[in-house]
Amino acid sequence: MAKLNIVLHEPEIPANTGNIGRTCVATGTRLHLIEPLGFSLSEKALKRAGMDYWKDLDVTTYLDYEDFLQKNPGAKIYYATTKAPQTYVDVNYEEDCYIMFGKESAGIPEDILVNHQDTCVRIPMIGDIRSLNLSNSVAIVLYEALRQNHFDHMNLAGHLRNYEWD
């Protein structure tokens, strides 16, 4: 069974993290938060965005990037950044890989990115747009990874309440 991992490096906005947490619960994805966080995990905005799903979230926090690496040895990590030379659809996501996103104001630090060029990915955009919203970016890349893993363990068909599909 595919068990993907989303990593947020120093997230700053609780509503984004809450939305990402909800997406992780809906997809069976683990969430990893690298401190410092720009908010408290008990904040109302975080819980509101994650709604009643936050209690079901598989989430781990780390003191810093080094702590994350130490506790996840050998992890295959993809780094989502606007600075990447390839797009998020140009790589093959393993069923237990980690996809890291940086903080809203600055992204992943370049001293981390420079050593991982082959696993840096970007979402294409036009013009001088700085970036997409963090929670939207996570959803885009995560669903591509899930698609590549055939949406393993996910519901693939919906059902009407009062009617039958032909």
Side-chain angles (χ1 to χ4, degrees):
M1 179 169 89
K3 191 67 171 181
L4 297 168
N5 298 273
I6 293 297
V7 182
L8 302 182
H9 187 273
E10 302 179 5
E12 299 167 314
I13 301 174
N16 282 337
T17 301
N19 287 332
I20 292 164
R22 184 176 181 174
T23 299
C24 287
V25 171
T27 59
T29 301
R30 294 182 187 111
L31 179 61
H32 304 263
L33 303 175
I34 298 175
E35 295 179 350
L37 308 180
F39 50 87
S40 163
L41 288 178
S42 62
E43 277 193 35
K44 229 184 222 184
L46 176 73
K47 301 281 193 314
R48 188 178 319 117
M51 298 183 69
D52 56 342
Y53 299 101
W54 195 259
K55 67 181 174 21
D56 300 319
L57 180 62
D58 182 355
V59 62
T60 305
T61 58
Y62 304 89
L63 296 175
D64 54 31
Y65 179 66
E66 293 306 319
D67 184 39
F68 166 76
L69 291 177
Q70 184 178 45
K71 291 179 178 168
N72 296 283
K76 177 68 174 200
I77 307 169
Y78 293 93
Y79 298 85
T81 172
T82 59
K83 301 165 181 80
Q86 61 190 341
T87 72
Y88 72 102
V89 298
D90 293 333
V91 299
N92 295 314
Y93 299 95
E94 296 81 357
E95 65 182 22
D96 59 349
C97 70
Y98 293 70
I99 308 168
M100 182 180 289
F101 296 81
K103 62 183 168 184
E104 291 89 342
S105 65
I108 298 169
E110 287 190 4
D111 61 331
I112 293 173
L113 298 176
V114 72
N115 296 314
H116 303 284
Q117 179 176 336
D118 58 326
T119 56
C120 285
V121 296
R122 67 176 283 118
I123 299 170
M125 296 176 287
I126 61 170
D128 294 328
I129 300 298
R130 190 174 61 249
S131 65
L132 296 174
N133 172 274
L134 180 60
S135 60
N136 292 337
S137 297
V138 168
I140 289 167
V141 179
L142 175 58
Y143 267 87
E144 172 60 17
L146 290 164
R147 184 195 67 79
Q148 288 184 18
N149 283 277
H150 311 288
F151 298 109
D152 186 30
H153 75 277
M154 299 180 75
N155 296 330
L156 298 179
H159 304 282
L160 298 172
R161 291 186 186 150
N162 300 315
Y163 301 92
E164 295 291 323
W165 291 112
D166 291 331

